[in-house]
Amino acid sequence: MSMPTVEQIQQILDPIFPGLMGVRLVTLEPERVVANLLVRPDLCTAGGIMHGGAYMAFADTLGAVGTIVNLPKGKRTTTTDSSTKFIGGAKAGTTVVGESVALHRGRTTMVWQTTIKSEEGKLCAVVTQTQLVLEG
Amino acid sequence: MSMPTVEQIQQILDPIFPGLMGVRLVTLEPERVVANLLVRPDLCTAGGIMHGGAYMAFADTLGAVGTIVNLPKGKRTTTTDSSTKFIGGAKAGTTVVGESVALHRGRTTMVWQTTIKSEEGKLCAVVTQTQLVLEG
Amino acid sequence: MSMPTVEQIQQILDPIFPGLMGVRLVTLEPERVVANLLVRPDLCTAGGIMHGGAYMAFADTLGAVGTIVNLPKGKRTTTTDSSTKFIGGAKAGTTVVGESVALHRGRTTMVWQTTIKSEEGKLCAVVTQTQLVLEG
Amino acid sequence: MSMPTVEQIQQILDPIFPGLMGVRLVTLEPERVVANLLVRPDLCTAGGIMHGGAYMAFADTLGAVGTIVNLPKGKRTTTTDSSTKFIGGAKAGTTVVGESVALHRGRTTMVWQTTIKSEEGKLCAVVTQTQLVLEG
């Protein structure tokens, strides 16, 4: 399969949930996906820091994109599991960076781990997810 | 502590991430929180089913609300961990129901588990999260 | 498929890891598995309470047994994910009870949740695991 | 705090659960712990591969050791959460290597991630755990 471009995937993301949140894809490689997200107030908790659910949705998007660009022809994928460790807060108005790397790319499952950091490189969250590879 | 009302909590949620998603709180009890969510297209994947990240963000909101209404005076909370099992899809245009129940309400941590079901009662996802109880 | 008996499964467990730990199967139903475990000192931490790893291994055994008794003919299973919330300690010399219930029994995956409690019914840990159903 | 030696920690592990399993500590550094484990038949499933519970107990041990050597004086620790992705099997009679690295070492929590590999370097499992830091 030829890799899709960042622009092609971004166009798919824009009308769906990652688009609602404002996820901006930056890098797309077979074992690594990077994106940015501006921490808008409507992605936050009442305390003005990025909502835990927004961390998880941001990461889930990157792990799914990573899996999709690795799928053999005629296959599809679904997330079966995701686990998150929340480590640090990201304030409204800042930008966070998510980097998802493949821990495993098998025929039946793929495992992707996404690290979310603040602009200054402070660790915010680590999300590990399992993607099942299914017949299309 | 007197329990806040559903309306009071809904007002807090509306300008933040749960509000962006359209989370509608229904029931608020010390050990149980229930809410509805209309599966809008912009909460979905490219396949037109609710995005895994939206499941997790919906659940995270309910577990956090459940913790907050149980916090002793002068304390605050943060989510440290969340783990999700994805079980079934919810189509765009339907409504899902999330019910979060307290598995543990301790002095140091609380554990809440949220079950998300379709309108017809089909199980969509189970999310279990740990909330740390901190000095305010 | 006819259900195997508690004794038949116990005989399989005895020479393998659950046997090393002393897991004693009590109840075996299609959606529920119950077992006891004496908290021997060699299942503990240096502080004399049941080791977190022993909780997880106990639960993993029950979820796997539950899946196996539900497998269609010619299929096999492997655990893909397990997540644990540790809630309370169990002292050396006491007995803990594990109860695993099926949250989902599908063609591709099954999800089992095991609750471990002390003799007095105090919650010790909750373990949720995903079992993949594979061609034999 | 002066770091304890591998031998000092091994002596603590031997009479408890990691000792029952045969965990052999190899390296002890402030941000990294390495150990070996011979996959004895009594650490396996009925299929003769390392039991999922043994993977989790092996990893839990390394993350706890890593936390303990980082604890400020007068503090203690407990695991609150652990999540595991199972990726590959390890056959009876082989040796697996576990390497645990600190993802976060904070005042309130520490997060350690353990990667378990076969002798040939094949990835078997990834375990991520949260350790709460408590007043002694």
Side-chain angles (χ1 to χ4, degrees), chain C residues 104-125:
Chain C
H104 173 62
R105 294 182 299 163
R107 277 173 305 172
T108 313
T109 61
M110 298 196 197
V111 177
W112 287 76
Q113 182 161 294
T114 304
T115 302
I116 301 175
K117 293 184 175 172
S118 71
E119 292 170 337
E120 300 82 26
K122 188 171 64 91
L123 185 59
C124 295

Side-chain angles (χ1 to χ4, degrees), chain B residues 31-34 59-60 62-64 66-67 81-85 87 98-105 110-116 123 125-131, chain C residues 83 85 87 101 103 111-115 123 126-129:
Chain B
E31 301 196 26
R32 182 172 167 267
V33 180
V34 181
D60 189 60
L62 302 194
T67 303
D81 286 82
S82 179
S83 63
T84 300
K85 306 294 175 191
I87 291 167
E99 179 181 33
S100 192
V101 296
L103 299 186
H104 174 61
R105 294 183 297 164
M110 298 196 196
V111 178
W112 288 76
Q113 183 163 67
T114 304
T115 302
I116 301 175
L123 185 59
V126 178
V127 183
T128 316
Q129 75 198 66
T130 302
Q131 298 282 144
Chain C
S83 63
K85 307 293 176 193
I87 292 167
V101 297
L103 299 185
V111 177
W112 287 76
Q113 182 161 294
T114 304
T115 302
L123 185 59
V126 178
V127 183
T128 316
Q129 75 198 67

